[in-house]
Amino acid sequence: MRPSAVSVLFFGCLVLGGCTSSSGPESLMAGLPSKETTSSVTPSSPVPQANVGSDPIRAQPRQEVLAWGGPVPDAPKAFSAITPQATLPQAAPEIRLPVAPQAEVMRPAERPVQMAMAVAPAAGAGAQIRSRIFRSGFSDAKPINFGKVQPRHYQVHGVDVSRWQGEIDWERLRTRGANFAFIKATDGGDHLDPMFRTNWARAKAAGVRRGAYHFFYWCRPASHQAEWFIRNVPRDPDALPPVIDVEYNGESACKMRLPRAKVLEKMQVFMDMLERHYGQRPIIYTAPDFYKDHLSGEFLNYPFWLRAVAQHPSKVYPDRKWLFWQYSGSGLSHGVEGKIDLNVFNGSEEAWHRWVRSAG
């Protein structure tokens, strides 16, 4: 989810003295689009326009060992629904990430999301088709050798998409291995991805488990951004938890670099508002440089989705348990023209089904 190029007339604004940021409160009231966009790839063809109207889209027993081999926290946490010890061919020890006890910073009173009881998969042909896991048929324009533990060793693969993937054939994409998808919804406080509504509806119709993500803009109040996301992303019991995408964006009109404490404070405000509204603890997506500066050792009760396109996450984020790994921004697949981000879930098929039930 790297940012796309943005044309900014920043210095012209300074000279004229009459320009305001298109991500400011004035632009929100005026309905102007944000300059903040994010994507891992650039469009290979004109981006289709889509209807983005407002019509809506129609206690788990405690596990002794988590999917990656780490201990279960004492209270209900973000990972409490993961099944015991996922099995990965030969290389399982590589992804067993020991985590030293660390005190959480800036945590308000705990409000753990209630975890669903583990039950057998729902009966019926429709439920069986929806829960089917397709093996990965993705290829990569820039393949990487990750060492002993490769993405292919994981059983559940998925993608993340935005407007830059254009019109997606979701049925074909699912059979190629997109068992889940994180779909770009919003960024800042006034930008809605023009393909969000279309992708949101079509992914569900194809049986793809999907969640929405928000690209966080550091020059806007966190509460404004949460309100904007809530306004545009339906509350769907079939949806995966919402995602906050936090990273540096060198091409953004907002060049602000906040201190660590302020970053954590803004993230907490945003995530608390989403958790109250959707009843799901948000997932945090981030990249190595931002993680190192702000998130190492923080938010231990939240699931993480980590970008690591050159090494396994255990090498890049040695102190972090993770739920999703984005391993490529140059994936190739039938169903999408051009490139697409590729991801894996950290666990077995059984762990996936248990986590989906508890996350809902």
Side-chain angles (χ1 to χ4, degrees), residues 316-354:
V316 185
Y317 309 88
D319 63 339
R320 178 63 61 176
K321 293 180 291 186
W322 54 274
L323 200 60
F324 293 95
W325 169 24
Q326 185 188 77
Y327 67 87
S328 176
S330 54
L332 302 171
S333 175
H334 298 297
V336 174
E337 292 186 10
K339 299 174 184 177
I340 191 170
D341 289 343
L342 302 178
N343 305 269
V344 295
F345 170 77
N346 188 16
S348 65
E349 281 191 37
E350 180 185 359
W352 167 255
H353 291 306
R354 291 168 67 90

Side-chain angles (χ1 to χ4, degrees), residues 126-192:
Q128 291 176 2
I129 293 174
R130 184 172 179 80
S131 63
R132 177 180 175 184
I133 298 298
F134 287 88
R135 297 307 176 204
S136 172
F138 300 125
S139 57
D140 200 324
K142 300 177 181 178
I144 297 293
N145 182 355
F146 289 98
K148 293 182 179 180
V149 182
Q150 300 286 332
R152 61 183 173 81
H153 292 150
Y154 295 86
Q155 297 180 4
V156 184
H157 288 242
V159 299
D160 60 273
V161 303
S162 68
R163 64 182 296 181
W164 303 120
Q165 277 68 53
E167 291 280 352
I168 297 174
D169 184 337
W170 282 99
E171 288 75 16
R172 293 190 71 189
L173 188 60
R174 184 181 182 224
T175 60
R176 296 297 292 177
N179 298 291
F180 63 86
F182 290 109
I183 300 173
K184 169 69 179 295
T186 55
D187 57 84
D190 53 12
H191 178 79
L192 173 66

Side-chain angles (χ1 to χ4, degrees), residues 262-296:
K262 190 64 176 178
V263 166
L264 300 178
E265 178 186 16
K266 290 172 77 72
M267 288 179 62
Q268 193 71 71
V269 169
F270 181 89
M271 294 188 296
D272 285 349
M273 291 179 66
L274 264 60
E275 184 171 338
R276 284 194 295 269
H277 181 78
Y278 294 101
Q280 298 169 302
R281 178 147 289 185
I283 297 169
I284 299 172
Y285 169 93
T286 194
D289 52 353
F290 191 90
Y291 179 87
K292 180 180 179 181
D293 290 345
H294 299 291
L295 299 178
S296 178

Side-chain angles (χ1 to χ4, degrees), residues 236-259:
D236 185 338
D238 290 330
L240 300 179
V243 175
I244 176 175
D245 175 353
V246 287
E247 55 186 298
Y248 290 130
N249 183 356
E251 298 172 346
S252 170
C254 174
K255 306 299 184 184
M256 187 180 296
R257 292 293 182 97
L258 299 175

Side-chain angles (χ1 to χ4, degrees), residues 168-222:
I168 297 174
D169 184 337
W170 282 99
E171 288 75 16
R172 293 190 71 189
L173 188 60
R174 184 181 182 224
T175 60
R176 296 297 292 177
N179 298 291
F180 63 86
F182 290 109
I183 300 173
K184 169 69 179 295
T186 55
D187 57 84
D190 53 12
H191 178 79
L192 173 66
D193 189 291
M195 287 300 293
F196 171 68
R197 293 284 182 182
T198 296
N199 286 332
W200 190 250
R202 291 180 181 174
K204 181 173 183 177
V208 178
R209 287 285 185 178
R210 83 281 194 258
Y213 75 84
H214 172 84
F215 185 81
F216 200 86
Y217 183 54
W218 300 105
C219 293
R220 288 295 294 266

